Amino acid sequence: MTTQELAMLYPQHLCELERRAAEALERGGFDHLVVPSGTVHYQVFDDRDYPYVVNPQFKAWLPLTRNPGSWLVITPGKKPRLIYLQPFDYWHVVPQTPEGWWVEHFEIVVIRKWDEALQHLPQSEARCAILGEPQSALGDDATGRFKPNNPPAVLDYLDYHRAFKTPYEVEMMRGASRSGTRAHRAAEAAFRAGKSEFDINLAYAAAARQDASELPYGNIVALNEHGAVLHYTELAREAPDPVRSFLIDAGTSFHGYACDITRTYATDSGGEFQAMIDAVDAAQLKMCDQVRAGTDYTRIHLDAHLAIAGILKDFGISKVAPETALENGISSVFFPHGIGHGIGLQVHDVGGFAESDRGGRIANPDGHPFLRLTRTLAPGMAVTIEPGLYFVDLLLDKLRQGEHADAVDWDRIAQFKPYGGIRIEDEVVCTDGAPLNLTREAFAAGAAEPGAA
Ligand code: GLY
Ligand code: MN
Ligand code: MN
């Protein structure tokens, strides 16, 4: 999308955030919402800093992700104020003068030293809901001014509503999906060329035009058995011999918004593992189609267990009906994580368990502790759908020692174990009608580009 398109969508986004802020402040009994962008963190006993990560409550308002020491002040009925730190600094690149589609909507005050912010923050600190981390306080953590108080009533409201993306945010996520799928295609090509995990990851970063500190999470680039480690991030320097399979879970960022995409490939396109990938892919598409208003996300998770258990049976791994596999925990041995999560400003977006915008928690179903979203879907919610089927030694050993050991065929498991596992992950937006699959849309658009393989 073009900058003009973003400029057209942005005012409605800002208006919605101002409406949410006004209601959140009312509920908390405050006059101002104050949001520090955050500060640089240092390694223990060292003067080396960690990569700066912006406060998500800050980047929700405007696409600034590299500006430590800045502040936002939202006062209902007034133009939002941005206190923008452009420090005197010859060690680092100083943030450039603000520009872009959002600038005209803010009163911008440039400061040169971090503590000058005090002159431009509201007079009465006690009337402020301040959202951020303790070390954003101006001065010492303990005695500093404008130390974040993170009022629960304010956060409950904002976090709950963060789930509903504005059209501007959907475009941002679309932008992330475009660069993410471009990088995924490059990674697949590197895999097909026989590269190592390390080199596939380099190919991914080159195509994404992003380095590790910009990506929304650590890339999972796993060949063969490594696909069975859910968050495998080792990046082996040498390719195994033979290469059988490839699982890649990797995203990109776009103006602070994330994408989160997983694909699995096999070298033998006529083999059983490829057939299993195709079966998971077909089941995943049906799950994506369940992302509809009024559907309980927990239902999608439990249906995914039944679908995976059905695939296990079709491939001669499980000997029991899918309902039995779900009931006695066999499906969880092979699918030991949640079906997905909310996504947007954070790869695992906040508010996944929120019962209402006044707090409360919707519990996970018994036996499914890793599900990160238990809400009922509604238009505007963006979620991932990421079923998996893995051969994890630790979980298989427990199954073998337990009362359901005879419910599976161990010879069949031994045949699939060298392939690690399968995960297929898309990002899907719930609408008033059919779901919008940002990932499939971006893969299709990329394939249609001139020169696409
Ligand atoms: N990449 C982490 C996840 O899929 O949730
Ligand atoms: Mn995910
Ligand atoms: Mn993922």
Side-chain angles (χ1 to χ4, degrees):
M1 80 292 326
T2 63
T3 303
Q4 281 99 320
E5 283 166 335
L6 292 175
M8 275 171 51
L9 292 170
Y10 183 70
Q12 187 265 339
H13 171 71
L14 184 59
C15 188
E16 171 62 12
L17 290 197
E18 286 179 309
R19 188 199 64 70
R20 290 180 194 172
E23 178 64 26
L25 289 170
E26 169 92 26
R27 291 190 180 190
F30 296 96
D31 297 334
H32 313 277
L33 187 70
V34 172
V35 189
S37 63
T39 60
V40 170
H41 291 233
Y42 288 88
Q43 297 177 20
V44 67
F45 302 129
D46 208 328
D47 64 357
R48 293 199 49 217
D49 50 7
Y50 290 106
Y52 163 72
V53 178
V54 63
N55 176 356
Q57 300 284 358
F58 184 88
K59 68 174 174 173
W61 290 84
L62 71 196
L64 291 181
T65 56
R66 294 165 173 258
N67 295 74
S70 292
W71 295 74
L72 266 175
V73 181
I74 313 296
T75 306
K78 287 196 174 170
K79 197 170 189 176
R81 172 179 292 184
L82 171 64
I83 303 167
Y84 188 88
L85 177 60
Q86 235 179 351
F88 294 119
D89 181 353
Y90 55 86
W91 292 93
H92 306 98
V93 171
V94 173
Q96 61 181 9
T97 303
E99 61 173 24
W101 58 85
W102 54 274
V103 167
E104 63 181 280
H105 302 281
F106 285 79
E107 177 204 351
I108 301 178
V109 185
V110 174
I111 57 172
R112 295 294 188 169
K113 293 188 186 153
W114 62 271
D115 57 353
E116 283 171 21
L118 264 182
Q119 299 160 31
H120 306 286
L121 287 166
Q123 291 287 315
S124 172
E125 193 177 326
R127 303 300 308 147
C128 297
I130 311 165
L131 309 184
E133 55 186 352
Q135 75 174 84
S136 292
L138 291 165
D140 189 69
D141 245 25
T143 57
R145 301 280 315 278
F146 287 89
K147 183 174 173 188
N149 50 7
N150 297 321
V154 174
L155 279 177
D156 283 344
Y157 188 83
L158 295 180
D159 287 356
Y160 180 86
H161 289 279
R162 167 97 71 83
F164 306 107
K165 272 55 187 180
T166 63
Y168 167 82
E169 291 184 295
V170 173
E171 279 309 299
M172 292 299 210
M173 295 171 70
R174 204 171 237 138
S177 299
R178 287 301 294 269
S179 52
T181 50
R182 185 175 70 229
H184 267 261
R185 287 198 307 275
E188 184 194 353
F191 156 69
R192 303 261 179 231
K195 304 280 189 198
S196 69
E197 293 166 353
F198 188 82
D199 289 320
I200 294 171
N201 192 52
L202 289 179
Y204 183 93
R209 314 304 298 157
Q210 292 183 16
D211 76 5
S213 69
E214 296 166 290
L215 296 174
Y217 58 91
N219 286 351
I220 296 163
V221 178
L223 293 170
N224 295 354
E225 292 90 341
H226 294 163
V229 181
L230 299 185
H231 283 175
Y232 174 86
T233 53
E234 298 299 304
L235 297 176
R237 269 50 175 178
E238 301 295 330
D241 183 15
V243 176
R244 289 178 284 265
S245 57
F246 174 40
L247 186 157
I248 173 165
D249 181 344
T252 52
S253 305
F254 187 74
H255 295 298
Y257 286 82
C259 73
D260 181 6
I261 300 170
T262 309
R263 287 293 181 270
T264 309
Y265 306 98
T267 43
D268 179 1
S269 61
E272 275 202 303
F273 189 66
Q274 181 64 55
M276 189 180 267
I277 294 172
D278 293 342
V280 174
D281 191 60
Q284 192 263 5
L285 278 173
K286 287 192 188 151
M287 296 166 207
C288 291
D289 197 52
Q290 286 182 276
V291 178
R292 291 181 183 254
T295 301
D296 181 350
Y297 192 75
T298 299
R299 182 71 258 157
I300 303 180
H301 173 81
L302 295 174
D303 284 350
H305 271 264
L306 294 174
I308 294 295
I311 293 169
L312 290 167
K313 189 144 193 296
D314 291 345
F315 280 80
I317 291 170
S318 162
K319 301 178 193 166
V320 299
E323 291 73 14
T324 311
L326 172 58
E327 226 162 84
N328 63 19
I330 289 175
S331 61
S332 293
V333 171
F334 297 91
F335 175 30
H337 58 75
I339 187 60
H341 47 85
I343 182 163
L345 289 163
Q346 292 162 269
V347 65
H348 297 156
D349 223 356
V350 289
F353 304 102
E355 191 168 34
S356 79
D357 57 18
R358 294 184 185 276
R361 185 183 170 93
I362 307 171
N364 287 58
D366 280 348
H368 298 265
F370 300 118
L371 182 60
R372 288 190 172 98
L373 177 64
T374 50
R375 291 168 65 171
T376 295
L377 297 172
M381 289 173 93
V383 300
T384 66
I385 295 292
E386 47 181 306
L389 195 173
Y390 315 86
F391 300 90
V392 182
D393 279 328
L394 185 88
L395 302 177
L396 290 171
D397 287 348
K398 266 175 77 179
L399 178 62
R400 199 193 278 273
Q401 287 156 20
E403 56 180 323
H404 302 299
D406 290 341
V408 295
D409 181 330
W410 291 98
D411 291 337
R412 289 295 280 159
I413 289 173
Q415 286 164 11
F416 281 101
K417 253 173 64 106
Y419 296 87
I422 299 168
R423 180 162 65 257
I424 314 274
E425 176 174 25
D426 290 346
E427 226 165 288
V428 186
V429 182
C430 180
T431 74
D432 287 321
L436 170 61
N437 188 320
L438 294 176
T439 312
R440 302 267 172 173
E441 175 193 89
F443 269 121
E449 275 168 11

